[in-house]
Amino acid sequence: MIDVSGRGLLDTSTLILLERIDDPATLPEQPAITAITLAELSVGPLVTADATERATRQARLQQAEADFDPLPFDAAAARTFGRVAASLRQAGRKANARAYDAMIAAIAISNDLPLHTCNPADFEHMDGLDLRPVPHPDQAEA
């Protein structure tokens, strides 16, 4: 599937690494995020005991809230989630372990958007997903 609109969805890992991604051509011209990503980001400040890291995570969450109007996990995404979870099970992967990723993928599929991620392995075997790998800034290319 070719995205002619320039729109695309960023997964949580890509949003976290956004400032460090070297090649903007690997990102959508019009990035979007999901409510699931905001949910994942909201956990971050609450689960670290390090005050500096807590402040960094809180700032990242607040910046995402200011910069994006997240796409919801709506009825269309819920129906799509069933197909994504089934494709994971058929591939021998545990859908529960990938629940957040599967929900983000379902939102991408139901909104007909490509998903840009620095962690493409997290989204393997999710049928119908237009996955766009983004080079991870901490991993050298082979």
Side-chain angles (χ1 to χ4, degrees):
M1 180 183 313
I2 297 173
D3 179 35
V4 294
S5 70
R7 292 184 66 215
L9 204 56
L10 305 177
D11 80 321
T12 308
S13 68
T14 306
L15 181 64
I16 289 170
L17 295 167
L18 196 57
E19 294 176 355
R20 297 179 45 218
I21 294 173
D22 293 329
D23 186 0
T26 63
L27 300 170
E29 291 176 25
Q30 297 174 36
I33 65 169
T34 71
I36 307 307
T37 290
L38 282 185
E40 286 187 291
L41 290 176
S42 73
V43 174
L46 303 173
V47 296
T48 182
D50 181 270
T52 302
E53 183 62 22
R54 184 178 315 109
T56 298
R57 292 178 182 189
Q58 185 65 37
R60 184 179 298 123
L61 169 62
Q62 290 173 320
Q63 191 65 55
E65 290 172 332
D67 289 347
F68 296 96
D69 184 17
L71 296 174
F73 187 80
D74 58 12
R79 286 189 300 276
T80 303
F81 176 81
R83 293 194 317 267
V84 170
S87 67
L88 286 171
R89 284 186 184 176
Q90 290 169 353
R93 295 184 77 189
K94 295 184 183 209
N96 291 350
R98 301 264 45 104
Y100 294 133
D101 294 333
M103 292 172 80
I104 290 170
I107 294 170
I109 295 165
S110 67
N111 284 278
D112 198 27
L113 293 172
L115 180 64
H116 298 256
T117 181
C118 291
N119 295 323
D122 290 351
F123 295 93
E124 286 179 346
H125 307 294
M126 295 188 187
D127 293 348
L129 181 61
D130 179 5
L131 193 61
R132 309 283 176 94
V134 175
H136 195 292
D138 294 335
Q139 298 171 357
E141 291 187 39

